[in-house]
Amino acid sequence: MSLSFDLAVRRGAHALHAAIADIDGVVGLVGPSGAGKTTLLLALAGLVPAHGTVTVDGEALHGLPTHARRVGVLFQDARVFPHLTVAANLAYGAAPGADTARWVEALDLGDLLARRPRTLSGGELRRVALARTLLAAPRVLALDEPLVGLDPARRAALLPRLRAAVQAAGVPTLWVSHHAEEVLAVADRVVVLDGGRVVADGPPAALLGDAGGLAARAAGLHNVLAVCDVMVHAGRGTASGRWGDVALALPLPVPDDVARRGAGRVLLAPQEVILAVDPPGRTSARNVLAGTVRAVAVQDGVAAVTLAVGAATLVVDVTPGSVTTLGLEPGAAAWALVKTRALRWA
Amino acid sequence: MNPVLLSLTVASLATLAATVPAVALGTWLARRRGGLRLAVQAVVLAPLVLPPVVTGWVLLQLFGAHGPLAALRLPFTTAAAVVAGAVVGLPLYVRAVQLAVEAVDPGLEQAAATLGASPWRVLRTVTLPLALPGVVTGALLAFARALGEFGATILVAGNLPGTTRTLPLALFTALQTPGGEAEAARWAAWSLVLSLGALALAEVLARAVARRVGTA
């Protein structure tokens, strides 16, 4: 199945105009707060007045009322009906012949069926809401930050389940997220919205690794480091690998598939890197990367320093004060101090 | 029928009769904006602020011998007492339903629509069940109000022993009768017990229903 749309929404001073074609599989929708991500999902579902077209496999949805569109929406606040049990919530929109047992199993809801929603945790409510949506046999899925508000452990536990369920549903999906890891893990295409417009559209690694670029900023800028020759040194509490021609100490545990292939990707948030302009002495940071400043961009009180390390680049966030004090300007030599723990497997 | 039983019967029937219009009007008023809504709201709430005898007079104009609904032959029957009770109870009922429907999270209604529920199904399966505590409160307030109705009742239903002489009318009649003070006191005590009982029941039931629908 394939989803295409070209929608314009005007809400007060805000205007949204987004056209995205040929969505099949999961598209990560990223962008800063207020970019129009949620509005776009609501417009797709017919929940806000919009002009334009929405088609699934050539069939027009835009003239239909919400209940006839079959655009399944997973709202940020789950919106599980409080007056119904979990089982009744699942049955609410279930399509004829829908396989309830399959989604109950996939999202691990077996123990919750008789429960009332107010006794459930945030993650449980998300799972119930997603199962309820999938049971309605949607033609399109729109997930509005399905993992927002969960602590990192719950997020990590829920992500694979949601991803597997969404992939099994096999319908065009828009997955709104603020987290680079999440987008890398679920999406095979990323669309960046900013100021109500599509500003980038492409494969996730390319967009998120576009260090310093708007796309990466919008998704919560992360450096994406492709590493190879990954080896585990359990005794020393680290793993090692190579990023281009630079040796890196990597965190444990190494994901199984990375250990098997010996290659993978790690994420590094720009604000977790320390910059030094003199060669640092002995430090606890296991990775000290020598490089050259390429560019410095100051925006919203943050200075983004682009550092060339061998053939690759890193973006490092520092304060504008540090830029002045350290004399960080293009051409200057600098060392990036990266704790092993600051690197996260994608 | 003795005045206690008659009052309970009339107030119960009045509440039943008011239920469909109260739920429909309350829901409509909760969802509408603009001039028409204000006009309808003013008409519905009028019996709350009008002297009941004026409400009764309006009913007489409608149902009386020369009124447009004269064919129903309503005046001076038990049914007339029921209509009077329903009309004076309606504003409280509508108001309670309206507030309860306005308090329902529109997000839940949106979620239901994305699951394929038509607006009518959303109303039946999401909005009204969640507003049920307000509907119950409204019903019991209307019941209590109908129980105490005097002015409109005496105008359209008269004061006929056994058919339209409800508790307040019995109390009034007893006071008009020499030596009727003891009887008047008895009817007053009954009125107190029934009215306060209805209010207490409203509170208890609304809470129980709210727990049941998961909103409290």
Side-chain angles (χ1 to χ4, degrees):
Chain A
M1 283 203 269
S2 169
L3 163 72
S4 296
F5 60 85
D6 182 347
L7 285 171
V9 182
R10 181 162 281 288
R11 282 179 127 180
H14 294 284
L16 165 75
H17 185 189
I20 307 178
D22 305 319
I23 297 173
D24 50 1
V26 181
V27 166
L29 189 59
V30 302
S33 297
K37 306 184 294 291
T38 299
T39 304
L40 179 56
L41 299 192
L42 296 178
L44 267 182
L47 291 170
V48 297
H51 294 288
T53 57
V54 181
T55 56
V56 175
D57 287 342
E59 191 189 336
L61 301 189
H62 46 268
L64 300 174
T66 298
H67 66 272
R69 290 198 185 195
R70 290 173 55 206
V71 173
V73 182
L74 182 62
F75 297 94
Q76 267 185 40
D77 49 354
R79 303 190 183 178
V80 175
F81 303 127
H83 58 303
L84 302 177
T85 60
V86 168
N89 263 281
L90 296 184
Y92 188 86
D99 189 349
T100 307
R102 173 188 177 197
W103 297 118
V104 165
E105 153 97 45
L107 289 160
D108 195 17
L109 299 174
D111 296 336
L112 305 180
L113 290 176
R115 299 260 298 270
R116 288 280 179 166
R118 75 191 136 131
T119 67
L120 302 183
S121 71
E124 288 169 335
L125 287 171
R126 246 34 97 71
R127 273 150 51 203
V128 172
L130 181 61
R132 181 180 71 173
T133 298
L134 293 171
L135 279 165
R139 286 185 284 197
V140 173
L141 270 177
L143 314 181
D144 195 359
E145 299 200 49
L147 300 174
V148 77
L150 302 179
D151 62 51
R154 284 180 198 283
R155 179 183 286 274
L158 189 51
L159 178 61
R161 280 194 187 278
L162 291 193
R163 176 177 53 189
V166 166
Q167 282 168 350
V171 297
T173 300
L174 283 171
W175 182 311
V176 173
S177 174
H178 270 119
H179 286 264
E181 303 97 310
E182 200 176 310
V183 174
L184 276 175
V186 301
D188 26 52
R189 177 175 165 192
V190 173
V191 169
V192 183
L193 271 189
D194 193 16
R197 308 213 152 250
V198 173
V199 294
D201 183 347
L207 285 189
L208 299 175
D210 163 25
L214 185 56
R217 277 281 161 208
L221 174 62
H222 278 73
N223 297 289
V224 182
L225 284 56
V227 294
C228 56
D229 298 344
V230 176
M231 289 194 297
V232 176
H233 314 287
R236 278 190 272 156
T238 61
S240 67
R242 264 189 323 105
W243 171 46
D245 41 19
V246 181
L248 282 185
L250 298 167
L252 291 179
V254 174
D256 290 344
D257 56 325
V258 173
R260 214 168 34 245
R261 284 185 283 120
R265 286 190 301 226
V266 286
L267 295 170
L268 175 59
Q271 64 273 22
E272 294 197 25
V273 182
I274 294 172
L275 274 189
V277 288
D278 300 313
R282 303 198 310 159
T283 76
S284 67
R286 300 293 300 268
N287 296 303
V288 177
L289 313 173
T292 308
V293 175
R294 276 276 180 73
V296 179
V298 180
Q299 197 186 0
D300 300 333
V302 175
V305 178
T306 306
L307 189 70
V309 179
T313 59
L314 270 188
V315 172
V316 180
D317 278 356
V318 296
T319 59
S322 297
V323 172
T324 321
T325 320
L326 299 179
L328 292 170
E329 51 189 36
W335 284 261
L337 279 66
V338 180
K339 291 161 69 86
T340 309
R341 285 281 152 211
L343 296 166
R344 278 169 300 141
W345 292 102
Chain B
M1 225 186 285
N2 87 48
V4 174
L5 267 184
L6 182 66
S7 276
L8 285 173
T9 309
V10 166
S12 302
L13 291 174
T15 306
L16 272 181
T19 292
V20 169
V23 169
L25 281 166
T27 308
W28 187 84
L29 288 171
R31 289 287 177 255
R32 271 295 283 244
R33 292 288 168 268
L36 185 59
R37 179 186 99 116
L38 290 177
V40 171
Q41 182 157 295
V43 171
V44 170
L45 293 186
L48 198 61
V49 291
L50 282 178
V53 281
V54 176
T55 305
W57 178 82
V58 171
L59 290 176
L60 260 189
Q61 300 314 301
L62 286 174
F63 293 101
H66 304 293
L69 301 172
L72 295 176
R73 296 178 171 278
L74 193 74
F76 309 108
T77 61
T78 305
V82 170
V83 168
V87 169
V88 297
L90 192 68
L92 295 167
Y93 207 159
V94 169
R95 198 76 185 140
V97 172
Q98 182 181 345
L99 291 175
V101 170
E102 280 172 357
V104 172
D105 177 5
L108 294 171
E109 299 171 322
Q110 290 188 345
T114 65
L115 293 167
S118 64
W120 173 237
R121 181 165 177 233
V122 173
L123 182 69
R124 275 187 302 114
T125 58
V126 177
T127 313
L128 289 181
L130 288 171
L132 196 58
V135 176
V136 170
T137 304
L140 283 153
L141 286 177
F143 176 80
R145 179 67 188 83
L147 208 54
E149 178 43 33
F150 179 86
T153 311
I154 202 164
L155 272 199
V156 284
N159 186 8
L160 308 172
T163 44
T164 68
R165 185 173 289 170
T166 55
L167 266 177
L169 294 171
L171 173 61
F172 174 73
T173 310
L175 280 178
Q176 304 284 357
T177 314
E181 288 80 6
E183 194 189 345
R186 200 162 78 238
W187 299 137
W190 270 109
S191 287
L192 255 156
V193 168
L194 292 181
S195 303
L196 292 179
L199 284 183
L201 191 63
E203 190 65 23
V204 171
L205 267 184
R207 281 181 194 211
V209 173
R211 261 198 307 280
R212 178 104 193 90
V213 301
T215 53

